[in-house]
Amino acid sequence: MLAALVIDDEQFAREELADLLNESGDITVVGEAPNAIIGLKKINELRPDVVFVDIQMPQVTGLDLLSMLDPDNMPYVVFVTAYDQYAIQAFEDNAFDYLLKPVEPQRLTKTVQKLVRNAQKDTLQQNVAAIASESLAQIPCVGHNRIVLLPTHQVESVYSDLSGVHVRSSTQTASTQLTLKTLEEKTPLLRCHRQYLVNVQHIREIKLLENGLAEVVTISDFTIPISRRYLKILKEAIGLTGNG
């Protein structure tokens, strides 16, 4: 039995698809989400085998969500979309599954059967690089009972601790479901410590300490540690060479 998550901002469409999947006998819907940001949180929490995601959602689309997923824990993705020949052609060219709205039970049955066959062969995998965006223009965050989309260029640093991953701008700090690895790969943020990323454009100074260590001071006076292994890379990124 495959575990599935359904992400769609249209409640009726989301509930109808979940009911059809549960009735298939091969898939159990373990969760639903009304938008991509909550969907990302549920993907990280529930680790479903497959995600059925609507493309046309406000703020963060289904394709945006694909770019935010951790490649090391990537579920199989089936897109649900209104008729869009361009998008459908892209999915077909890259071997992605899709369903047209309104979802027809017979068409869904074919998709479920394909998922089951691939799972039995242990080939329930996709190459998301072909269709996912290579970069993130904004970082989805949650803070103070609201969803925040922080433009990447406004972010000064990102850090992780026992409570999660936190994004810091000059005006606020919020938590995100994205991993440091994903943020490092999909944004201009540069790693300076195993628990920190920094935006080079927001560095005010680098303080050299004893034992080859250093600290970054950002424009907003945040202090960020720099590990020895990343100091040279960081200095080169801001145009410093040698020991200066």
Side-chain angles (χ1 to χ4, degrees):
M1 187 78 73
L2 296 175
L5 176 70
V6 179
I7 306 173
D8 196 322
D9 62 310
E10 298 178 13
Q11 181 178 354
F12 177 76
R14 185 176 70 245
E15 292 176 348
E16 183 178 37
L17 178 55
D19 287 343
L20 289 172
L21 288 170
N22 283 325
E23 290 170 4
S24 72
D26 294 305
I27 290 182
T28 297
V29 176
V30 294
E32 300 178 23
N35 59 59
I37 299 176
I38 294 176
L40 178 63
K41 184 174 186 293
K42 287 185 176 290
I43 289 172
N44 291 336
E45 290 176 348
L46 301 173
R47 303 292 187 195
D49 300 303
V50 57
V51 174
F52 292 81
V53 58
D54 184 24
I55 295 178
Q56 295 88 359
M57 293 186 290
Q59 295 186 305
V60 179
T61 69
L63 289 176
D64 292 333
L65 174 63
L66 189 65
S67 303
M68 296 173 180
L69 297 176
D70 184 349
D72 292 336
N73 297 287
M74 181 73 68
Y76 194 89
V77 177
V78 176
F79 288 108
V80 184
T81 179
Y83 185 75
D84 184 331
Q85 187 58 48
Y86 177 80
I88 289 172
Q89 188 62 51
F91 301 151
E92 290 179 343
D93 289 346
N94 294 286
F96 271 77
D97 284 318
Y98 66 90
L99 296 168
L100 290 177
K101 286 185 173 182
V103 176
E104 297 180 356
Q106 289 182 334
R107 177 65 176 82
L108 180 61
T109 297
K110 291 182 180 180
T111 296
V112 170
Q113 290 174 344
K114 178 180 177 181
L115 291 171
V116 172
R117 286 196 304 270
N118 288 343
Q120 290 172 343
K121 297 176 183 177
D122 198 25
T123 58
L124 197 62
Q125 301 172 354
Q126 291 168 310
N127 177 20
V128 301
I131 198 169
S133 172
E134 294 182 358
S135 61
L136 297 175
Q138 55 190 9
I139 300 174
C141 303
V142 179
H144 303 294
N145 296 318
R146 63 194 181 106
I147 293 173
V148 180
L149 294 173
L150 285 178
T152 304
H153 69 272
Q154 293 182 8
V155 174
E156 290 204 348
S157 65
V158 177
Y159 66 95
S160 66
D161 58 22
L162 292 177
S163 63
V165 177
H166 312 283
V167 181
R168 195 155 53 183
S169 71
S170 61
T171 59
Q172 62 184 309
T173 299
S175 298
T176 182
Q177 290 295 314
L178 301 185
T179 64
L180 284 183
K181 179 179 179 180
T182 297
L183 289 168
E184 183 180 15
E185 293 177 349
K186 296 279 188 173
T187 73
L189 296 168
L190 195 64
R191 189 175 291 272
C192 59
H193 183 277
R194 65 184 181 86
Q195 291 179 273
Y196 287 84
L197 303 177
V198 65
N199 188 334
V200 174
Q201 301 301 318
H202 288 261
I203 293 177
R204 189 176 70 194
E205 64 177 319
I206 292 178
K207 292 183 177 179
L208 301 179
L209 308 175
E210 296 179 356
N211 300 322
L213 300 177
E215 291 178 340
V216 163
V217 180
T218 70
I219 294 173
S220 299
D221 280 330
F222 296 129
T223 299
I224 304 168
I226 306 175
S227 300
R228 280 188 291 268
R229 62 182 297 192
Y230 298 112
L231 179 56
K232 181 180 178 181
I233 297 172
L234 197 60
K235 288 167 68 176
E236 290 176 349
I238 63 175
L240 294 176
T241 58
N243 297 320

